[in-house]
Amino acid sequence: MAPSENRVKAAQLWGKNKEELKSELERLKGNLVTLRTQKIAGGASSKLNQIHDVRKSIARVLTVINANQRHQLRIFYKGKKYIPLDLRPKQTRAIRRRLTKEEASKVTEKTRKKLIHFPQRKFAVKA
């Protein structure tokens, strides 16, 4: 195994489909198991660096898998009434709880009648 074989570039992963990513993940996990057994058996210190590289590569693959999955879910829930909490915009707690524009512009029946029957008075001001 060459040291560059364990290292995976994220740019290469984005073009792959789900099955290719899963097979890449299985390959990297297999590499990690073999490197760990070599470490226990008293392998060279260079194996520690390779373990680090493999772990980071596994994280990259999982990141791409999760990003693709979230992207597909966003497409699925687009236009639906309810969206899962983790797909909603984070914003701040206050912004999430404040009234929407439609809710804020609504007027009760009593207020609407009051506005109709008692409009704002217009005064002719002497200049």
Side-chain angles (χ1 to χ4, degrees):
M1 271 186 273
S4 62
E5 189 179 315
N6 294 329
R7 199 171 283 166
V8 177
K9 295 262 196 294
Q12 299 166 346
L13 296 173
W14 288 111
K16 295 185 176 183
N17 62 18
K18 193 175 180 182
E19 289 76 29
E20 291 172 338
L21 288 170
K22 294 242 182 202
S23 65
E24 182 74 22
L25 186 64
E26 293 303 317
R27 184 186 70 78
L28 288 168
K29 284 185 176 181
N31 284 355
L32 187 60
V33 169
T34 56
L35 286 170
R36 283 188 171 152
T37 52
Q38 289 172 1
K39 177 186 151 192
I40 291 167
S45 63
S46 63
K47 300 291 181 202
L48 292 172
N49 292 338
Q50 287 183 12
I51 289 173
H52 177 268
D53 292 343
V54 172
R55 286 179 63 234
K56 298 303 172 189
S57 295
I58 289 172
R60 282 188 198 98
V61 172
L62 288 172
T63 300
V64 171
I65 290 170
N66 288 333
N68 288 340
Q69 193 174 17
R70 287 174 66 83
H71 178 68
Q72 292 300 320
L73 284 170
R74 283 185 200 282
I75 292 169
F76 176 75
Y77 282 106
K78 190 160 185 83
K80 300 259 169 71
K81 186 173 181 183
Y82 296 111
I83 299 172
L85 294 176
D86 59 333
L87 295 179
R88 293 179 194 174
K90 178 79 168 101
Q91 299 172 328
T92 62
R93 190 169 187 267
I95 291 173
R96 290 195 306 266
R97 277 158 180 69
R98 93 178 151 203
L99 295 175
T100 63
K101 288 179 182 175
E102 293 80 29
E103 291 168 340
S105 65
K106 282 188 176 178
V107 180
T108 62
E109 190 67 24
K110 183 177 181 180
T111 310
R112 193 180 63 75
K113 284 181 180 176
K114 191 165 74 173
L115 288 171
I116 291 168
H117 295 296
F118 302 101
Q120 182 72 44
R121 289 184 178 179
K122 297 182 182 101
F123 294 98
V125 181
K126 199 190 255 185

